[in-house]
């Protein structure tokens, strides 16, 4: 059943032992939202556990500081947060809980509606915005640390207020969270103004590989396994690279071509305005959204790039 | 005299022919604030002109679209906006108007208080925040284009909400401006997510020059006149480079060393937290703030870098 904030708050208030689940490759939104809700529930005298299929990285440790988590044999309420599909819980958690999620709180329009009850706001920029409103509905006091957990979700899922999902509500909630004591400056420093040294090297190597095509309307960077090795970096750090080519003035289509371990190449395509990234990707067997899409090409490096460029050109000239 | 919002609004409402002045090297805040105020005054039936010692770049053209400016022989009210010192008007405008500024509206704590009346909020992140409150005080309707002008000021002077000057009020006003129709997404794309091709090349060359010192606590990039030439870029594009070294994890002091046309080197120093950038700069005859400072060193490249490194080390170990 689809439920609203009020129904969700009422439901949670009537349960006592909670398991909150995050998605794999945990990001600021799933962890910030889960820990904020956990703190709210604990403040109401509930017992709470938070789980994730992958380990939480150090950047998130402040979210757990002083939060009393209680591992229990049985949970009378299992809540998935920011999880659009139970597969995203990871194999193990999905096998145990995937079919028994009581409530899913999410902001992905693509949510597959797998939980008993679903609180879904497809146009919310982050799950954290929904959790904030939910905590207010539950009359939970927004402490500084809850505010910091939520601010992390609000800022990371909007690329620090730069993505098109950012709304007037996003800014208003950010304002209220800063008012409530969120450590906004330091959160932004950690999540947006810091690069690992290995990423800094990888970024430099990537920029060196940037080539321009079609009157500079297309820019391509290529990351090989050798570059990953030379930089000391790994796959987890390549995501941000995909945005670099499109940032150059005049570029309509930016492509990151990444060599995978099996020797094939994954293309991450980012476009501006009128150019449809998913049209380019789908002609090569991939898919995605209008502004961001991806596909995998099984070919040697130069051939792979040429195959992708051909489809880019078709779309640019189309 | 120092005046408040209400006094300023009343003063402006009693005048008819306005000249609004921006500072040289016009940025989003001085131009966005001036054009927003200009539009508000025009909506009240006033005649307004906007001037700046330097030309306005293309990025600001939307601020002037449909804004009726009227060059006049005499102005009964000259307002300087975001101008901390009349010298920043540029030689020509300073000579004509510098001693006859009726009102200065500014957010620089360092304002030299040169105008007849000054509306100063030293802890406001931007002049645009003050102008927004002033327009509300004057009961000016915040149209979508006024909202866009102000959003440009609010976002650019906070590094898109990343600088430590960003407050709960900043976010609240951003929210209200988006509500009023500010084209926030496109503004952020233009001012934060776009690089010129020449800058992209210069950035790559700069990153190639990055060297680490003192257990990676200091990172230095060096931009030479030759690199400017090779990239097709120029001095105006070097500002953003100064932030790059400090972004690397573990780096406490980031330095951009830039070769000037006369062969001397300017060091732009950016520090984290406990390290005082101005202490480093001042020992080399420069100055600035705790987090950002600069100095000029008259020496050959390697000698200049060594002189700077010596002072960095003193501060790191101090």
């Amino acid at each position: 059943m689809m439920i609203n904030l009020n129904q969700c708050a009422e439901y949670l208030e009537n349960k006592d032992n909670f398991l909150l689940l995050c998605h794999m490759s945990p990001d600021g939104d799933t962890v910030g939202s889960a820990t904020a809700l956990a703190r709210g529930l604990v403040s109401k005298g509930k017992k709470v556990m938070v789980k994730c299929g992958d380990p939480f990285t150090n950047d998130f440790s402040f979210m757990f500081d002083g939060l009393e988590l209680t591992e229990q044999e049985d949970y009378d309420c299992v809540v998935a947060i920011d999880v659009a599909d139970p597969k995203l819980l990871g194999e193990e958690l999905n096998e145990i809980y995937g079919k028994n999620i009581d409530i899913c709180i999410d902001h992905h329009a693509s949510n597959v509606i797998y939980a008993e009850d679903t609180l879904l706001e497809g146009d919310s920029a982050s799950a954290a915005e929904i959790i904030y409103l939910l905590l207010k509905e539950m009359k939970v006091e927004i402490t500084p640390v809850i505010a910091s957990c939520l601010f992390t979700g609000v800022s990371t899922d909007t690329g620090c207020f730069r993505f098109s999902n950012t709304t007037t509500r996003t800014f208003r909630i950010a304002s209220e969270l800063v008012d409530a004591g969120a450590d906004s400056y330091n959160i932004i420093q950690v999540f947006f103004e810091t690069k690992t040294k290995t990423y800094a090297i990888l970024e430099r190597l990537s920029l060196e590989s940037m080539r321009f095509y079609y009157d500079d309307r297309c820019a391509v960077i290529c990351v090989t396994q050798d570059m990953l090795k030379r930089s000391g970096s790994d796959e987890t750090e390549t995501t941000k690279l995909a945005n670099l080519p499109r940032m150059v003035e005049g570029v309509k289509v930016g492509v990151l071509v990444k060599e995978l371990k099996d020797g094939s190449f994954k293309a991450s395509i980012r476009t501006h305005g009128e150019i449809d990234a998913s049209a380019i990707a789908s002609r090569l067997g991939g898919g995605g959204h209008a502004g961001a899409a991806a596909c995998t090409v099984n070919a040697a490096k130069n051939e792979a790039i040429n195959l992708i460029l051909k489809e880019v050109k078709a779309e640019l000239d189309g």
Side-chain angles (χ1 to χ4, degrees), chain A residues 94-298:
Chain A
N94 185 19
E95 206 174 296
I96 307 175
Y97 302 108
K99 291 196 168 61
N100 300 295
I101 308 287
D102 297 299
I103 295 192
C104 171
I105 303 173
D106 191 23
H107 71 118
H108 294 94
S110 59
N111 190 293
V112 299
I113 316 296
Y114 56 92
E116 192 67 29
D117 290 311
T118 305
L119 171 58
L120 180 67
E121 272 198 33
D123 51 3
S124 179
S126 59
E129 288 190 25
I130 307 171
I131 297 290
Y132 175 72
L133 298 172
L134 180 63
L135 292 176
K136 301 274 278 187
E137 186 76 27
M138 293 166 69
K139 310 246 183 300
V140 166
E141 186 201 344
I142 307 296
T143 60
V145 63
I146 289 180
S148 287
C149 292
L150 293 173
F151 189 90
T152 305
V154 167
S155 59
T156 56
D157 254 32
T158 57
C160 206
F161 310 101
R162 293 188 185 188
F163 297 162
S164 59
N165 60 1
T166 308
T167 65
T168 172
R169 188 178 84 174
T170 309
F171 283 119
R172 179 173 57 76
I173 289 177
S175 171
E176 292 176 17
L177 292 173
V178 173
D179 243 352
D183 190 11
S184 53
Y185 175 71
N186 283 312
I187 290 167
I188 287 173
Q189 289 300 306
V190 167
F191 289 94
F192 292 98
E193 293 284 306
T194 306
K195 303 170 179 180
T196 62
K197 195 176 173 189
T198 54
Y199 175 78
I201 297 169
L202 182 64
E203 186 186 48
R204 173 172 66 75
L205 295 173
S206 305
L207 291 174
E208 282 171 28
S209 79
M210 197 183 311
R211 297 290 176 273
F212 294 89
Y213 302 92
Y214 312 130
D215 299 324
D216 296 353
R217 289 178 300 161
C218 175
V220 178
I221 62 181
C222 184
V223 173
T224 61
Q225 288 289 322
D226 177 60
M227 284 158 68
L228 287 175
K229 213 176 292 170
R230 276 159 62 202
S231 64
S233 185
D234 61 32
E235 303 282 339
T236 62
E237 297 198 314
T238 57
T239 319
K240 280 189 293 180
L241 297 173
N243 296 318
L244 300 180
R246 189 186 50 178
M247 288 179 81
V248 179
E249 200 173 25
V251 169
K252 301 282 181 207
V253 183
V255 185
L256 161 66
V257 178
K258 187 172 72 175
E259 184 183 14
L260 303 180
K261 279 186 180 134
D262 66 4
S264 64
F265 286 86
K266 181 182 173 189
S268 298
I269 302 158
R270 300 283 183 273
T271 57
H272 270 310
E274 66 278 33
I275 310 292
D276 185 357
S278 71
I280 299 170
S282 67
R283 284 203 289 271
L284 292 160
H289 307 278
C295 58
T296 303
V297 180
N298 245 310

